Amino acid sequence: MSSDSRQRILNVMGTFRPTFRDVAQSLTDIDLILVEESFERLLLDYDRVFSAMAIPACLWRRTGEIYKGNKEFADLINVPFDKLRDGQLCIYEIMAEDSIVNYWEKYGNIAFDPKQKAVLTSCLLNYQLQPDEEPPRKRKNIAMSCCFSFTVRRDKFNM
């Protein structure tokens, strides 16, 4: 990632980091446990949603780690379905650099604004090509243009 892109992302994070830090530091251990339990219930709710719809979808934490995805999403980016669980892959790992910056800028605009919760945007996704040649671990990416929306689900602390 270029230093300009990295700086733009850091600038965005700098706008919401103080608010996030203030709220996070005020949480008790019980609060943190309740937030995690709520997230686990959300994952269970989305099991039904993702299995009932035939469009690519995934759910990720505010840090970008994907914790649930459906088969259609795995097929879209050509990664094993199991890779879309437990934070093994981050949403920004599958986007082109300009799209990553755009995502963080849009996320920063709505992260702590309770009047906004969803964004419709476009991006370039990296479709993972599995090469037949050696070495087998080397992967090539093809950028694929797509539109997507993301919704910020706030917890009881409005985060």
Side-chain angles (χ1 to χ4, degrees):
M1 182 174 282
S2 74
S3 61
D4 181 51
S5 294
R6 200 172 18 251
Q7 189 59 50
R8 285 176 59 194
I9 292 170
L10 289 172
N11 289 344
V12 170
M13 289 181 169
T15 63
F16 62 81
R17 186 179 293 133
T19 305
F20 179 76
R21 187 180 7 225
D22 289 344
V23 173
Q25 288 177 342
S26 71
L27 300 178
T28 65
D29 288 346
I30 296 297
D31 292 334
L32 294 172
I33 290 169
L34 292 174
V35 168
E36 277 305 305
E37 285 177 349
S38 176
F39 183 72
E40 291 295 324
R41 280 193 297 279
L42 181 69
L43 290 175
L44 290 173
D45 288 345
Y46 273 88
D47 273 341
R48 290 190 307 273
V49 173
F50 284 3
S51 66
M53 59 189 215
I55 59 172
C58 68
L59 185 137
W60 64 88
R61 288 184 178 270
R62 70 177 59 91
T63 53
E65 297 119 333
I66 298 173
Y67 269 76
K68 183 165 295 299
N70 62 6
K71 183 179 179 335
E72 290 78 9
F73 189 74
D75 290 345
L76 177 70
I77 60 171
N78 196 29
V79 298
F81 178 67
D82 291 341
K83 189 107 167 138
L84 299 177
R85 298 197 175 279
D86 304 322
Q88 296 179 53
L89 185 67
C90 291
I91 193 68
Y92 45 81
E93 289 180 295
I94 61 173
M95 291 182 185
E97 184 173 324
D98 288 343
S99 296
I100 295 166
V101 173
N102 182 48
Y103 164 74
W104 281 110
E105 289 174 343
K106 290 194 180 338
Y107 176 79
N109 288 334
I110 68 166
F112 288 97
D113 183 356
K115 294 177 284 186
Q116 298 184 57
K117 68 176 197 173
V119 172
L120 177 62
T121 188
S122 62
C123 74
L124 290 175
L125 284 179
N126 290 325
Y127 179 85
Q128 306 289 315
L129 285 177
Q130 305 289 344
D132 294 332
E133 71 275 358
E134 295 293 324
R137 293 177 194 198
K138 196 171 192 176
R139 301 181 97 171
K140 290 197 275 184
N141 297 331
I142 294 178
M144 172 178 30
S145 183
C146 74
C147 289
F148 76 102
S149 88
F150 64 91
T151 302
V152 174
R153 297 282 306 254
R154 302 182 199 293
D155 58 23
K156 71 179 195 173
F157 304 103
N158 205 27
M159 292 183 29

PDB file of all heavy atoms in Angstrom, residues 57-58 66 69-85 88-90 93-95 125-130 139-141 144:
ATOM      1  N   ALA A  57     -22.788 -12.393   0.329  1.00  0.00           N
ATOM      2  CA  ALA A  57     -22.914 -11.596   1.546  1.00  0.00           C
ATOM      3  C   ALA A  57     -21.877 -12.042   2.565  1.00  0.00           C
ATOM      4  O   ALA A  57     -21.483 -13.212   2.601  1.00  0.00           O
ATOM      5  CB  ALA A  57     -24.312 -11.750   2.135  1.00  0.00           C
ATOM      6  N   CYS A  58     -21.447 -11.093   3.387  1.00  0.00           N
ATOM      7  CA  CYS A  58     -20.559 -11.435   4.489  1.00  0.00           C
ATOM      8  C   CYS A  58     -20.762 -10.442   5.623  1.00  0.00           C
ATOM      9  O   CYS A  58     -21.317  -9.360   5.426  1.00  0.00           O
ATOM     10  CB  CYS A  58     -19.096 -11.506   4.061  1.00  0.00           C
ATOM     11  SG  CYS A  58     -18.346  -9.941   3.605  1.00  0.00           S
ATOM     12  N   ILE A  66     -13.637 -10.759   8.728  1.00  0.00           N
ATOM     13  CA  ILE A  66     -14.868 -11.415   8.299  1.00  0.00           C
ATOM     14  C   ILE A  66     -15.139 -12.588   9.233  1.00  0.00           C
ATOM     15  O   ILE A  66     -14.285 -13.463   9.408  1.00  0.00           O
ATOM     16  CB  ILE A  66     -14.761 -11.886   6.835  1.00  0.00           C
ATOM     17  CG1 ILE A  66     -14.565 -10.689   5.911  1.00  0.00           C
ATOM     18  CG2 ILE A  66     -15.996 -12.703   6.443  1.00  0.00           C
ATOM     19  CD1 ILE A  66     -14.277 -11.041   4.468  1.00  0.00           C
ATOM     20  N   GLY A  69     -19.640 -15.565   6.160  1.00  0.00           N
ATOM     21  CA  GLY A  69     -19.875 -15.313   4.750  1.00  0.00           C
ATOM     22  C   GLY A  69     -20.682 -16.466   4.195  1.00  0.00           C
ATOM     23  O   GLY A  69     -20.760 -17.536   4.808  1.00  0.00           O
ATOM     24  N   ASN A  70     -21.302 -16.258   3.055  1.00  0.00           N
ATOM     25  CA  ASN A  70     -22.033 -17.368   2.456  1.00  0.00           C
ATOM     26  C   ASN A  70     -21.252 -17.948   1.276  1.00  0.00           C
ATOM     27  O   ASN A  70     -20.229 -17.401   0.866  1.00  0.00           O
ATOM     28  CB  ASN A  70     -23.456 -16.953   2.075  1.00  0.00           C
ATOM     29  CG  ASN A  70     -23.521 -15.851   1.036  1.00  0.00           C
ATOM     30  OD1 ASN A  70     -22.510 -15.423   0.472  1.00  0.00           O
ATOM     31  ND2 ASN A  70     -24.722 -15.366   0.780  1.00  0.00           N
ATOM     32  N   LYS A  71     -21.758 -19.058   0.771  1.00  0.00           N
ATOM     33  CA  LYS A  71     -21.068 -19.755  -0.310  1.00  0.00           C
ATOM     34  C   LYS A  71     -20.944 -18.878  -1.553  1.00  0.00           C
ATOM     35  O   LYS A  71     -19.923 -18.885  -2.241  1.00  0.00           O
ATOM     36  CB  LYS A  71     -21.796 -21.051  -0.641  1.00  0.00           C
ATOM     37  CG  LYS A  71     -21.111 -21.885  -1.698  1.00  0.00           C
ATOM     38  CD  LYS A  71     -21.854 -23.161  -1.969  1.00  0.00           C
ATOM     39  CE  LYS A  71     -21.217 -24.015  -3.035  1.00  0.00           C
ATOM     40  NZ  LYS A  71     -20.397 -23.410  -4.022  1.00  0.00           N
ATOM     41  N   GLU A  72     -21.961 -18.076  -1.810  1.00  0.00           N
ATOM     42  CA  GLU A  72     -21.942 -17.198  -2.974  1.00  0.00           C
ATOM     43  C   GLU A  72     -20.811 -16.174  -2.883  1.00  0.00           C
ATOM     44  O   GLU A  72     -20.167 -15.872  -3.880  1.00  0.00           O
ATOM     45  CB  GLU A  72     -23.296 -16.488  -3.129  1.00  0.00           C
ATOM     46  CG  GLU A  72     -24.443 -17.396  -3.552  1.00  0.00           C
ATOM     47  CD  GLU A  72     -25.012 -18.247  -2.416  1.00  0.00           C
ATOM     48  OE1 GLU A  72     -24.646 -18.020  -1.235  1.00  0.00           O
ATOM     49  OE2 GLU A  72     -25.812 -19.147  -2.706  1.00  0.00           O
ATOM     50  N   PHE A  73     -20.565 -15.668  -1.690  1.00  0.00           N
ATOM     51  CA  PHE A  73     -19.467 -14.716  -1.518  1.00  0.00           C
ATOM     52  C   PHE A  73     -18.120 -15.421  -1.697  1.00  0.00           C
ATOM     53  O   PHE A  73     -17.217 -14.891  -2.340  1.00  0.00           O
ATOM     54  CB  PHE A  73     -19.548 -14.031  -0.145  1.00  0.00           C
ATOM     55  CG  PHE A  73     -18.580 -12.900   0.007  1.00  0.00           C
ATOM     56  CD1 PHE A  73     -18.803 -11.691  -0.632  1.00  0.00           C
ATOM     57  CD2 PHE A  73     -17.440 -13.029   0.773  1.00  0.00           C
ATOM     58  CE1 PHE A  73     -17.911 -10.638  -0.516  1.00  0.00           C
ATOM     59  CE2 PHE A  73     -16.541 -11.987   0.908  1.00  0.00           C
ATOM     60  CZ  PHE A  73     -16.779 -10.780   0.253  1.00  0.00           C
ATOM     61  N   ALA A  74     -18.003 -16.611  -1.135  1.00  0.00           N
ATOM     62  CA  ALA A  74     -16.764 -17.383  -1.304  1.00  0.00           C
ATOM     63  C   ALA A  74     -16.502 -17.658  -2.786  1.00  0.00           C
ATOM     64  O   ALA A  74     -15.365 -17.536  -3.255  1.00  0.00           O
ATOM     65  CB  ALA A  74     -16.849 -18.685  -0.515  1.00  0.00           C
ATOM     66  N   ASP A  75     -17.556 -18.004  -3.517  1.00  0.00           N
ATOM     67  CA  ASP A  75     -17.414 -18.256  -4.945  1.00  0.00           C
ATOM     68  C   ASP A  75     -17.037 -16.976  -5.704  1.00  0.00           C
ATOM     69  O   ASP A  75     -16.239 -17.018  -6.639  1.00  0.00           O
ATOM     70  CB  ASP A  75     -18.710 -18.822  -5.534  1.00  0.00           C
ATOM     71  CG  ASP A  75     -19.001 -20.239  -5.065  1.00  0.00           C
ATOM     72  OD1 ASP A  75     -18.086 -20.903  -4.519  1.00  0.00           O
ATOM     73  OD2 ASP A  75     -20.158 -20.677  -5.233  1.00  0.00           O
ATOM     74  N   LEU A  76     -17.619 -15.852  -5.298  1.00  0.00           N
ATOM     75  CA  LEU A  76     -17.358 -14.583  -5.966  1.00  0.00           C
ATOM     76  C   LEU A  76     -15.876 -14.218  -5.915  1.00  0.00           C
ATOM     77  O   LEU A  76     -15.296 -13.781  -6.911  1.00  0.00           O
ATOM     78  CB  LEU A  76     -18.189 -13.459  -5.330  1.00  0.00           C
ATOM     79  CG  LEU A  76     -17.956 -12.051  -5.875  1.00  0.00           C
ATOM     80  CD1 LEU A  76     -18.497 -11.932  -7.293  1.00  0.00           C
ATOM     81  CD2 LEU A  76     -18.593 -11.019  -4.965  1.00  0.00           C
ATOM     82  N   ILE A  77     -15.258 -14.409  -4.760  1.00  0.00           N
ATOM     83  CA  ILE A  77     -13.849 -14.019  -4.629  1.00  0.00           C
ATOM     84  C   ILE A  77     -12.908 -15.213  -4.724  1.00  0.00           C
ATOM     85  O   ILE A  77     -11.697 -15.068  -4.568  1.00  0.00           O
ATOM     86  CB  ILE A  77     -13.607 -13.231  -3.328  1.00  0.00           C
ATOM     87  CG1 ILE A  77     -13.958 -14.054  -2.096  1.00  0.00           C
ATOM     88  CG2 ILE A  77     -14.357 -11.912  -3.349  1.00  0.00           C
ATOM     89  CD1 ILE A  77     -13.532 -13.419  -0.781  1.00  0.00           C
ATOM     90  N   ASN A  78     -13.477 -16.392  -4.947  1.00  0.00           N
ATOM     91  CA  ASN A  78     -12.708 -17.622  -5.159  1.00  0.00           C
ATOM     92  C   ASN A  78     -11.790 -17.958  -3.979  1.00  0.00           C
ATOM     93  O   ASN A  78     -10.588 -18.167  -4.144  1.00  0.00           O
ATOM     94  CB  ASN A  78     -11.902 -17.534  -6.454  1.00  0.00           C
ATOM     95  CG  ASN A  78     -11.411 -18.899  -6.908  1.00  0.00           C
ATOM     96  OD1 ASN A  78     -12.048 -19.907  -6.635  1.00  0.00           O
ATOM     97  ND2 ASN A  78     -10.273 -18.940  -7.576  1.00  0.00           N
ATOM     98  N   VAL A  79     -12.384 -17.980  -2.791  1.00  0.00           N
ATOM     99  CA  VAL A  79     -11.661 -18.443  -1.603  1.00  0.00           C
ATOM    100  C   VAL A  79     -12.455 -19.589  -0.996  1.00  0.00           C
ATOM    101  O   VAL A  79     -13.669 -19.687  -1.194  1.00  0.00           O
ATOM    102  CB  VAL A  79     -11.456 -17.321  -0.547  1.00  0.00           C
ATOM    103  CG1 VAL A  79     -10.625 -16.197  -1.100  1.00  0.00           C
ATOM    104  CG2 VAL A  79     -12.758 -16.818   0.009  1.00  0.00           C
ATOM    105  N   PRO A  80     -11.802 -20.484  -0.265  1.00  0.00           N
ATOM    106  CA  PRO A  80     -12.538 -21.564   0.387  1.00  0.00           C
ATOM    107  C   PRO A  80     -13.572 -21.001   1.366  1.00  0.00           C
ATOM    108  O   PRO A  80     -13.312 -20.023   2.071  1.00  0.00           O
ATOM    109  CB  PRO A  80     -11.459 -22.343   1.136  1.00  0.00           C
ATOM    110  CG  PRO A  80     -10.167 -21.947   0.494  1.00  0.00           C
ATOM    111  CD  PRO A  80     -10.371 -20.570  -0.049  1.00  0.00           C
ATOM    112  N   PHE A  81     -14.748 -21.602   1.396  1.00  0.00           N
ATOM    113  CA  PHE A  81     -15.839 -21.155   2.259  1.00  0.00           C
ATOM    114  C   PHE A  81     -15.399 -21.054   3.723  1.00  0.00           C
ATOM    115  O   PHE A  81     -15.763 -20.103   4.425  1.00  0.00           O
ATOM    116  CB  PHE A  81     -17.020 -22.125   2.114  1.00  0.00           C
ATOM    117  CG  PHE A  81     -18.191 -21.798   2.980  1.00  0.00           C
ATOM    118  CD1 PHE A  81     -18.930 -20.648   2.766  1.00  0.00           C
ATOM    119  CD2 PHE A  81     -18.558 -22.643   4.007  1.00  0.00           C
ATOM    120  CE1 PHE A  81     -20.023 -20.343   3.569  1.00  0.00           C
ATOM    121  CE2 PHE A  81     -19.640 -22.337   4.817  1.00  0.00           C
ATOM    122  CZ  PHE A  81     -20.372 -21.187   4.593  1.00  0.00           C
ATOM    123  N   ASP A  82     -14.585 -21.991   4.186  1.00  0.00           N
ATOM    124  CA  ASP A  82     -14.130 -21.991   5.576  1.00  0.00           C
ATOM    125  C   ASP A  82     -13.253 -20.789   5.910  1.00  0.00           C
ATOM    126  O   ASP A  82     -13.082 -20.445   7.076  1.00  0.00           O
ATOM    127  CB  ASP A  82     -13.365 -23.274   5.897  1.00  0.00           C
ATOM    128  CG  ASP A  82     -14.273 -24.486   5.900  1.00  0.00           C
ATOM    129  OD1 ASP A  82     -15.505 -24.305   6.025  1.00  0.00           O
ATOM    130  OD2 ASP A  82     -13.761 -25.608   5.791  1.00  0.00           O
ATOM    131  N   LYS A  83     -12.689 -20.149   4.909  1.00  0.00           N
ATOM    132  CA  LYS A  83     -11.836 -18.976   5.129  1.00  0.00           C
ATOM    133  C   LYS A  83     -12.666 -17.747   5.550  1.00  0.00           C
ATOM    134  O   LYS A  83     -12.133 -16.774   6.054  1.00  0.00           O
ATOM    135  CB  LYS A  83     -11.062 -18.684   3.846  1.00  0.00           C
ATOM    136  CG  LYS A  83     -10.011 -17.663   3.970  1.00  0.00           C
ATOM    137  CD  LYS A  83      -8.664 -18.288   3.938  1.00  0.00           C
ATOM    138  CE  LYS A  83      -7.641 -17.199   3.737  1.00  0.00           C
ATOM    139  NZ  LYS A  83      -6.489 -17.332   4.528  1.00  0.00           N
ATOM    140  N   LEU A  84     -13.991 -17.832   5.366  1.00  0.00           N
ATOM    141  CA  LEU A  84     -14.886 -16.722   5.699  1.00  0.00           C
ATOM    142  C   LEU A  84     -15.458 -16.889   7.103  1.00  0.00           C
ATOM    143  O   LEU A  84     -16.607 -16.570   7.369  1.00  0.00           O
ATOM    144  CB  LEU A  84     -16.028 -16.632   4.682  1.00  0.00           C
ATOM    145  CG  LEU A  84     -15.606 -16.386   3.243  1.00  0.00           C
ATOM    146  CD1 LEU A  84     -16.822 -16.393   2.329  1.00  0.00           C
ATOM    147  CD2 LEU A  84     -14.841 -15.085   3.103  1.00  0.00           C
ATOM    148  N   ARG A  85     -14.665 -17.381   8.004  1.00  0.00           N
ATOM    149  CA  ARG A  85     -15.100 -17.590   9.384  1.00  0.00           C
ATOM    150  C   ARG A  85     -14.002 -17.153  10.352  1.00  0.00           C
ATOM    151  O   ARG A  85     -12.820 -17.192  10.040  1.00  0.00           O
ATOM    152  CB  ARG A  85     -15.412 -19.059   9.640  1.00  0.00           C
ATOM    153  CG  ARG A  85     -16.530 -19.593   8.798  1.00  0.00           C
ATOM    154  CD  ARG A  85     -17.072 -20.888   9.364  1.00  0.00           C
ATOM    155  NE  ARG A  85     -18.217 -21.336   8.616  1.00  0.00           N
ATOM    156  CZ  ARG A  85     -19.447 -20.875   8.782  1.00  0.00           C
ATOM    157  NH1 ARG A  85     -19.686 -19.968   9.684  1.00  0.00           N
ATOM    158  NH2 ARG A  85     -20.435 -21.324   8.053  1.00  0.00           N
ATOM    159  N   GLN A  88     -10.450 -15.062   9.759  1.00  0.00           N
ATOM    160  CA  GLN A  88      -9.274 -15.525   9.017  1.00  0.00           C
ATOM    161  C   GLN A  88      -8.923 -14.609   7.851  1.00  0.00           C
ATOM    162  O   GLN A  88      -7.781 -14.581   7.388  1.00  0.00           O
ATOM    163  CB  GLN A  88      -9.523 -16.934   8.471  1.00  0.00           C
ATOM    164  CG  GLN A  88      -9.701 -17.979   9.533  1.00  0.00           C
ATOM    165  CD  GLN A  88      -9.966 -19.323   8.901  1.00  0.00           C
ATOM    166  OE1 GLN A  88      -9.205 -19.776   8.035  1.00  0.00           O
ATOM    167  NE2 GLN A  88     -11.041 -19.966   9.304  1.00  0.00           N
ATOM    168  N   LEU A  89      -9.921 -13.870   7.366  1.00  0.00           N
ATOM    169  CA  LEU A  89      -9.734 -12.990   6.221  1.00  0.00           C
ATOM    170  C   LEU A  89     -10.380 -11.651   6.568  1.00  0.00           C
ATOM    171  O   LEU A  89     -11.423 -11.609   7.206  1.00  0.00           O
ATOM    172  CB  LEU A  89     -10.418 -13.608   4.989  1.00  0.00           C
ATOM    173  CG  LEU A  89     -10.265 -12.915   3.654  1.00  0.00           C
ATOM    174  CD1 LEU A  89      -8.812 -12.981   3.183  1.00  0.00           C
ATOM    175  CD2 LEU A  89     -11.161 -13.581   2.619  1.00  0.00           C
ATOM    176  N   CYS A  90      -9.763 -10.565   6.162  1.00  0.00           N
ATOM    177  CA  CYS A  90     -10.320  -9.230   6.416  1.00  0.00           C
ATOM    178  C   CYS A  90     -10.916  -8.671   5.137  1.00  0.00           C
ATOM    179  O   CYS A  90     -10.421  -8.940   4.043  1.00  0.00           O
ATOM    180  CB  CYS A  90      -9.244  -8.283   6.925  1.00  0.00           C
ATOM    181  SG  CYS A  90      -8.675  -8.698   8.584  1.00  0.00           S
ATOM    182  N   GLU A  93      -8.575  -7.049   2.815  1.00  0.00           N
ATOM    183  CA  GLU A  93      -7.597  -7.900   2.124  1.00  0.00           C
ATOM    184  C   GLU A  93      -8.083  -8.308   0.744  1.00  0.00           C
ATOM    185  O   GLU A  93      -7.281  -8.739  -0.082  1.00  0.00           O
ATOM    186  CB  GLU A  93      -7.313  -9.161   2.939  1.00  0.00           C
ATOM    187  CG  GLU A  93      -6.520  -8.920   4.184  1.00  0.00           C
ATOM    188  CD  GLU A  93      -6.277 -10.201   4.956  1.00  0.00           C
ATOM    189  OE1 GLU A  93      -7.253 -10.801   5.450  1.00  0.00           O
ATOM    190  OE2 GLU A  93      -5.101 -10.610   5.046  1.00  0.00           O
ATOM    191  N   ILE A  94      -9.382  -8.191   0.510  1.00  0.00           N
ATOM    192  CA  ILE A  94      -9.922  -8.628  -0.775  1.00  0.00           C
ATOM    193  C   ILE A  94     -10.269  -7.455  -1.683  1.00  0.00           C
ATOM    194  O   ILE A  94     -10.833  -7.643  -2.748  1.00  0.00           O
ATOM    195  CB  ILE A  94     -11.153  -9.545  -0.588  1.00  0.00           C
ATOM    196  CG1 ILE A  94     -12.264  -8.809   0.140  1.00  0.00           C
ATOM    197  CG2 ILE A  94     -10.770 -10.810   0.138  1.00  0.00           C
ATOM    198  CD1 ILE A  94     -13.564  -9.575   0.207  1.00  0.00           C
ATOM    199  N   MET A  95      -9.910  -6.236  -1.264  1.00  0.00           N
ATOM    200  CA  MET A  95     -10.181  -5.046  -2.071  1.00  0.00           C
ATOM    201  C   MET A  95      -8.892  -4.488  -2.653  1.00  0.00           C
ATOM    202  O   MET A  95      -7.827  -4.633  -2.075  1.00  0.00           O
ATOM    203  CB  MET A  95     -10.816  -3.951  -1.210  1.00  0.00           C
ATOM    204  CG  MET A  95     -12.203  -4.217  -0.746  1.00  0.00           C
ATOM    205  SD  MET A  95     -12.768  -2.780   0.207  1.00  0.00           S
ATOM    206  CE  MET A  95     -14.336  -3.374   0.775  1.00  0.00           C
ATOM    207  N   LEU A 125     -12.930  -5.620  -6.207  1.00  0.00           N
ATOM    208  CA  LEU A 125     -12.597  -6.793  -5.403  1.00  0.00           C
ATOM    209  C   LEU A 125     -11.490  -7.560  -6.100  1.00  0.00           C
ATOM    210  O   LEU A 125     -11.435  -7.618  -7.333  1.00  0.00           O
ATOM    211  CB  LEU A 125     -13.806  -7.726  -5.267  1.00  0.00           C
ATOM    212  CG  LEU A 125     -14.899  -7.327  -4.316  1.00  0.00           C
ATOM    213  CD1 LEU A 125     -16.014  -8.370  -4.338  1.00  0.00           C
ATOM    214  CD2 LEU A 125     -14.382  -7.143  -2.914  1.00  0.00           C
ATOM    215  N   ASN A 126     -10.632  -8.160  -5.317  1.00  0.00           N
ATOM    216  CA  ASN A 126      -9.583  -9.003  -5.875  1.00  0.00           C
ATOM    217  C   ASN A 126     -10.081 -10.434  -5.944  1.00  0.00           C
ATOM    218  O   ASN A 126     -10.326 -11.068  -4.929  1.00  0.00           O
ATOM    219  CB  ASN A 126      -8.319  -8.937  -5.004  1.00  0.00           C
ATOM    220  CG  ASN A 126      -7.644  -7.607  -5.102  1.00  0.00           C
ATOM    221  OD1 ASN A 126      -7.646  -6.981  -6.148  1.00  0.00           O
ATOM    222  ND2 ASN A 126      -7.086  -7.154  -4.006  1.00  0.00           N
ATOM    223  N   TYR A 127     -10.263 -10.909  -7.158  1.00  0.00           N
ATOM    224  CA  TYR A 127     -10.629 -12.294  -7.394  1.00  0.00           C
ATOM    225  C   TYR A 127      -9.347 -13.102  -7.323  1.00  0.00           C
ATOM    226  O   TYR A 127      -8.382 -12.802  -8.017  1.00  0.00           O
ATOM    227  CB  TYR A 127     -11.288 -12.430  -8.767  1.00  0.00           C
ATOM    228  CG  TYR A 127     -11.679 -13.833  -9.135  1.00  0.00           C
ATOM    229  CD1 TYR A 127     -12.893 -14.351  -8.721  1.00  0.00           C
ATOM    230  CD2 TYR A 127     -10.838 -14.632  -9.897  1.00  0.00           C
ATOM    231  CE1 TYR A 127     -13.262 -15.635  -9.058  1.00  0.00           C
ATOM    232  CE2 TYR A 127     -11.203 -15.910 -10.242  1.00  0.00           C
ATOM    233  CZ  TYR A 127     -12.418 -16.420  -9.819  1.00  0.00           C
ATOM    234  OH  TYR A 127     -12.782 -17.696 -10.158  1.00  0.00           O
ATOM    235  N   GLN A 128      -9.317 -14.101  -6.470  1.00  0.00           N
ATOM    236  CA  GLN A 128      -8.094 -14.871  -6.245  1.00  0.00           C
ATOM    237  C   GLN A 128      -7.944 -15.961  -7.302  1.00  0.00           C
ATOM    238  O   GLN A 128      -8.785 -16.849  -7.400  1.00  0.00           O
ATOM    239  CB  GLN A 128      -8.139 -15.531  -4.863  1.00  0.00           C
ATOM    240  CG  GLN A 128      -8.397 -14.573  -3.730  1.00  0.00           C
ATOM    241  CD  GLN A 128      -7.219 -13.671  -3.462  1.00  0.00           C
ATOM    242  OE1 GLN A 128      -6.092 -14.113  -3.411  1.00  0.00           O
ATOM    243  NE2 GLN A 128      -7.494 -12.404  -3.284  1.00  0.00           N
ATOM    244  N   LEU A 129      -6.890 -15.881  -8.073  1.00  0.00           N
ATOM    245  CA  LEU A 129      -6.591 -16.922  -9.056  1.00  0.00           C
ATOM    246  C   LEU A 129      -5.641 -17.933  -8.439  1.00  0.00           C
ATOM    247  O   LEU A 129      -4.623 -17.566  -7.861  1.00  0.00           O
ATOM    248  CB  LEU A 129      -5.927 -16.330 -10.301  1.00  0.00           C
ATOM    249  CG  LEU A 129      -6.816 -15.579 -11.266  1.00  0.00           C
ATOM    250  CD1 LEU A 129      -5.975 -15.008 -12.399  1.00  0.00           C
ATOM    251  CD2 LEU A 129      -7.889 -16.477 -11.813  1.00  0.00           C
ATOM    252  N   GLN A 130      -5.962 -19.192  -8.542  1.00  0.00           N
ATOM    253  CA  GLN A 130      -5.091 -20.258  -8.059  1.00  0.00           C
ATOM    254  C   GLN A 130      -4.228 -20.714  -9.235  1.00  0.00           C
ATOM    255  O   GLN A 130      -4.732 -21.314 -10.174  1.00  0.00           O
ATOM    256  CB  GLN A 130      -5.923 -21.456  -7.561  1.00  0.00           C
ATOM    257  CG  GLN A 130      -6.938 -21.110  -6.506  1.00  0.00           C
ATOM    258  CD  GLN A 130      -6.292 -20.765  -5.183  1.00  0.00           C
ATOM    259  OE1 GLN A 130      -5.146 -21.054  -4.946  1.00  0.00           O
ATOM    260  NE2 GLN A 130      -7.056 -20.125  -4.329  1.00  0.00           N
ATOM    261  N   ARG A 139      -0.115 -16.491  -5.471  1.00  0.00           N
ATOM    262  CA  ARG A 139      -1.439 -16.220  -6.003  1.00  0.00           C
ATOM    263  C   ARG A 139      -1.416 -14.942  -6.818  1.00  0.00           C
ATOM    264  O   ARG A 139      -0.700 -14.010  -6.506  1.00  0.00           O
ATOM    265  CB  ARG A 139      -2.438 -16.054  -4.868  1.00  0.00           C
ATOM    266  CG  ARG A 139      -2.546 -17.258  -3.989  1.00  0.00           C
ATOM    267  CD  ARG A 139      -3.547 -17.001  -2.933  1.00  0.00           C
ATOM    268  NE  ARG A 139      -4.790 -17.581  -3.389  1.00  0.00           N
ATOM    269  CZ  ARG A 139      -5.859 -17.699  -2.652  1.00  0.00           C
ATOM    270  NH1 ARG A 139      -5.873 -17.254  -1.432  1.00  0.00           N
ATOM    271  NH2 ARG A 139      -6.947 -18.236  -3.127  1.00  0.00           N
ATOM    272  N   LYS A 140      -2.221 -14.913  -7.847  1.00  0.00           N
ATOM    273  CA  LYS A 140      -2.402 -13.705  -8.631  1.00  0.00           C
ATOM    274  C   LYS A 140      -3.833 -13.226  -8.418  1.00  0.00           C
ATOM    275  O   LYS A 140      -4.729 -14.015  -8.194  1.00  0.00           O
ATOM    276  CB  LYS A 140      -2.187 -13.993 -10.117  1.00  0.00           C
ATOM    277  CG  LYS A 140      -0.743 -14.286 -10.474  1.00  0.00           C
ATOM    278  CD  LYS A 140      -0.509 -14.150 -11.946  1.00  0.00           C
ATOM    279  CE  LYS A 140      -0.855 -15.430 -12.658  1.00  0.00           C
ATOM    280  NZ  LYS A 140      -0.562 -15.411 -14.073  1.00  0.00           N
ATOM    281  N   ASN A 141      -4.034 -11.929  -8.477  1.00  0.00           N
ATOM    282  CA  ASN A 141      -5.357 -11.355  -8.312  1.00  0.00           C
ATOM    283  C   ASN A 141      -5.814 -10.674  -9.592  1.00  0.00           C
ATOM    284  O   ASN A 141      -5.012 -10.093 -10.308  1.00  0.00           O
ATOM    285  CB  ASN A 141      -5.368 -10.306  -7.199  1.00  0.00           C
ATOM    286  CG  ASN A 141      -5.038 -10.888  -5.859  1.00  0.00           C
ATOM    287  OD1 ASN A 141      -5.307 -12.044  -5.591  1.00  0.00           O
ATOM    288  ND2 ASN A 141      -4.444 -10.086  -5.006  1.00  0.00           N
ATOM    289  N   MET A 144     -12.022  -7.030  -9.850  1.00  0.00           N
ATOM    290  CA  MET A 144     -13.371  -7.194 -10.359  1.00  0.00           C
ATOM    291  C   MET A 144     -14.236  -6.059  -9.799  1.00  0.00           C
ATOM    292  O   MET A 144     -14.311  -5.882  -8.579  1.00  0.00           O
ATOM    293  CB  MET A 144     -13.892  -8.559  -9.894  1.00  0.00           C
ATOM    294  CG  MET A 144     -15.312  -8.833 -10.162  1.00  0.00           C
ATOM    295  SD  MET A 144     -15.817 -10.489  -9.627  1.00  0.00           S
ATOM    296  CE  MET A 144     -14.780 -10.854  -8.244  1.00  0.00           C
TER     297      MET A 144
END
